[in-house]
Amino acid sequence: MTSALLTLPGAVAADGVDAGVAAHYGDPYKEQRALLEKVGVVDRSHRGVIAVPGVDRLTWLHSLTSQHLERLAPWQGTEALVLSPHGHVEHHLGVLDDGATTWLDVEPGTAAALVSYLDSMRFMLRVDPTDVTENWALLTLVGPQLDTALANIGVVLEDQAAALPGGGWVRRVAGPGLAADLLVPHADLLQTVRRLDVPPAGIWAYEALRVADRLPRLGRETDHKTIVQEPGWVPSAVHLDKGCYRGQETVARVHNLGKPPRRMVMLHLDGMDEDLPVTGDPVTLGERQVGFVGTAVRHVELGQIALALVRRNVPVDAQLTIGDRAAAIDPDSIPAENPADVRERPRVTRLPSRP
């Protein structure tokens, strides 16, 4: 579905997995500045949306995902993962329960596969997972002045989440920066943005801040064999003290007995080449491939940076390359040995340029 916000002045459509929304509205760096210093609204209406009503919904989702959901209070949000039997990440879910329905938002193009899996696990339980992507759209406010933007639509967000006038909801989320998601009817998308009265920012600006904040994205910083500890989804999307769920044995074994074979790091890239690396490009140390590029961006303050999944034994000061381009690991992006103890990520610092 093509977003109505592509009719706004200056809108340039994104492609690939982000097709259907704007890459930018004429000035990606200005849009980044707005998200960092003031506030802007990002069109993420290409994400899939799944509604799960039914009295058994929370205990049922609790049994299927990595997150502790059976006592999730109304108007509380979280993240969760659906894993394969071997513990590999298959789906990443934003979660919110409004007291009657649990809402899941997922990566573009993945809602149908997730609903198919959920349907196969219903048995006799009172749940009804439904793909409602065509009816509901996600917007994301980013920036220190987001509460002012919410006040423009009559919302004072005192807790983590609240209902929106006219349907839908708003919830505070963990990054990039200070952020809040809004779920609104697709038919009201353009009207909602006008009422917010803040400048639109494209997905390029949002992705630049996401990379700088080292937030993984399914399908970018993951492949078919990614386990939860590698991109750093513990503890944000994984509860380590809950009961059994598919893939839980791998999560527990790695947490208790070993270390994941790879880890997500942020790279500073040699900026001589105008073309950015693409998802899946090999990261090499000498002649040996040691990882792959997840997302590469141009950041308004940090320059060309990328998230990559690399082998754990790659030294922090390694002289890495991506094709003919030099890359250096940001030392602040190395995860703590026990990520369950991490509550706050250190601020990103720029590495000195390499000769």
Side-chain angles (χ1 to χ4, degrees), residues 283-290 321:
V283 177
T284 57
L285 177 57
E287 299 298 319
R288 182 169 57 105
Q289 181 174 349
V290 294
T321 55

Side-chain angles (χ1 to χ4, degrees), residues 4-12 22 24-27 31 190 193-194 199-201:
L5 300 191
L6 284 172
T7 64
L8 293 177
V12 174
H24 62 85
Y25 296 89
D27 191 340
E31 293 163 25
L190 194 56
V193 169
R194 288 172 174 159

Side-chain angles (χ1 to χ4, degrees), residues 137-212:
L138 200 72
L139 297 170
T140 300
L141 283 169
V142 181
Q145 298 175 11
L146 71 83
D147 285 327
T148 301
L150 290 174
N152 291 337
I153 59 171
V155 174
V156 177
L157 192 55
E158 296 179 347
D159 297 315
Q160 186 183 5
L164 285 175
W169 43 256
V170 56
R171 69 174 175 210
R172 296 192 189 274
V173 291
L178 190 62
D181 288 338
L182 292 82
L183 187 76
V184 301
H186 250 295
D188 297 344
L189 194 60
L190 194 56
Q191 179 186 8
T192 301
V193 169
R194 288 172 174 159
R195 290 177 58 222
L196 286 167
D197 194 25
V198 298
I203 202 72
W204 284 7
Y206 179 87
E207 287 288 277
L209 270 62
R210 177 182 70 82
V211 170

Side-chain angles (χ1 to χ4, degrees), residues 188-241:
D188 297 344
L189 194 60
L190 194 56
Q191 179 186 8
T192 301
V193 169
R194 288 172 174 159
R195 290 177 58 222
L196 286 167
D197 194 25
V198 298
I203 202 72
W204 284 7
Y206 179 87
E207 287 288 277
L209 270 62
R210 177 182 70 82
V211 170
D213 276 3
R214 305 189 296 283
L215 299 173
R217 182 175 176 185
L218 184 78
R220 295 291 182 90
E221 285 71 52
T222 67
D223 59 13
H224 68 282
K225 59 183 180 180
T226 299
I227 60 176
V228 302
Q229 289 91 349
E230 291 177 332
W233 268 318
V234 180
S236 63
V238 179
H239 196 288
L240 293 171
D241 297 320

Side-chain angles (χ1 to χ4, degrees), residues 41-318:
V41 60
V42 182
D43 184 4
R44 301 175 72 213
S45 61
H46 59 325
R47 283 181 66 80
V49 181
I50 298 168
V52 187
V55 296
D56 296 325
R57 65 191 185 280
L58 288 176
T59 53
W60 178 63
L61 289 169
H62 177 91
S63 71
L64 299 176
T65 71
S66 62
Q67 190 57 271
H68 199 296
L69 298 177
E70 63 182 357
R71 291 191 295 273
L72 186 68
W75 304 114
Q76 292 296 307
T78 187
E79 302 172 54
L81 303 171
V82 172
L83 308 181
S84 76
H86 298 292
H88 300 137
V89 180
E90 292 187 343
H91 294 279
H92 176 253
L93 295 62
V95 183
L96 179 81
D97 192 81
D98 66 10
T101 298
T102 302
W103 297 86
L104 312 175
D105 60 279
V106 296
E107 281 292 329
T110 66
L114 180 55
V115 168
S116 178
Y117 167 68
L118 294 176
D119 269 333
S120 73
M121 303 300 291
R122 288 172 62 175
F123 306 114
M124 300 298 290
L125 295 173
R126 294 164 294 177
V127 293
D128 186 21
T130 305
D131 184 349
V132 294
T133 306
E134 291 192 1
N135 300 321
W136 294 94
L138 200 72
L139 297 170
T140 300
L141 283 169
V142 181
Q145 298 175 11
L146 71 83
D147 285 327
T148 301
L150 290 174
N152 291 337
I153 59 171
V155 174
V156 177
L157 192 55
E158 296 179 347
D159 297 315
Q160 186 183 5
L164 285 175
W169 43 256
V170 56
R171 69 174 175 210
R172 296 192 189 274
V173 291
L178 190 62
D181 288 338
L182 292 82
L183 187 76
V184 301
H186 250 295
D188 297 344
L189 194 60
L190 194 56
Q191 179 186 8
T192 301
V193 169
R194 288 172 174 159
R195 290 177 58 222
L196 286 167
D197 194 25
V198 298
I203 202 72
W204 284 7
Y206 179 87
E207 287 288 277
L209 270 62
R210 177 182 70 82
V211 170
D213 276 3
R214 305 189 296 283
L215 299 173
R217 182 175 176 185
L218 184 78
R220 295 291 182 90
E221 285 71 52
T222 67
D223 59 13
H224 68 282
K225 59 183 180 180
T226 299
I227 60 176
V228 302
Q229 289 91 349
E230 291 177 332
W233 268 318
V234 180
S236 63
V238 179
H239 196 288
L240 293 171
D241 297 320
K242 63 167 284 186
C244 238
Y245 57 93
R246 192 172 74 168
Q248 187 257 353
E249 295 85 354
T250 299
V251 175
R253 183 169 62 250
V254 174
H255 177 72
N256 294 319
L257 301 177
K259 296 181 175 64
R262 301 176 297 180
R263 59 189 176 191
M264 189 183 75
V265 299
M266 194 179 83
L267 303 176
H268 292 278
L269 308 178
D270 180 347
M272 297 298 290
D273 192 339
E274 276 299 307
D275 293 328
L276 290 171
V278 299
T279 302
D281 277 356
V283 177
T284 57
L285 177 57
E287 299 298 319
R288 182 169 57 105
Q289 181 174 349
V290 294
F292 66 87
V293 174
T295 309
V297 297
R298 296 179 179 88
H299 192 275
V300 67
E301 294 178 350
L302 301 173
Q304 294 188 15
I305 55 176
L307 293 177
L309 208 62
V310 301
R311 294 181 184 176
R312 169 172 286 276
N313 61 3
V314 173
V316 176
D317 59 354

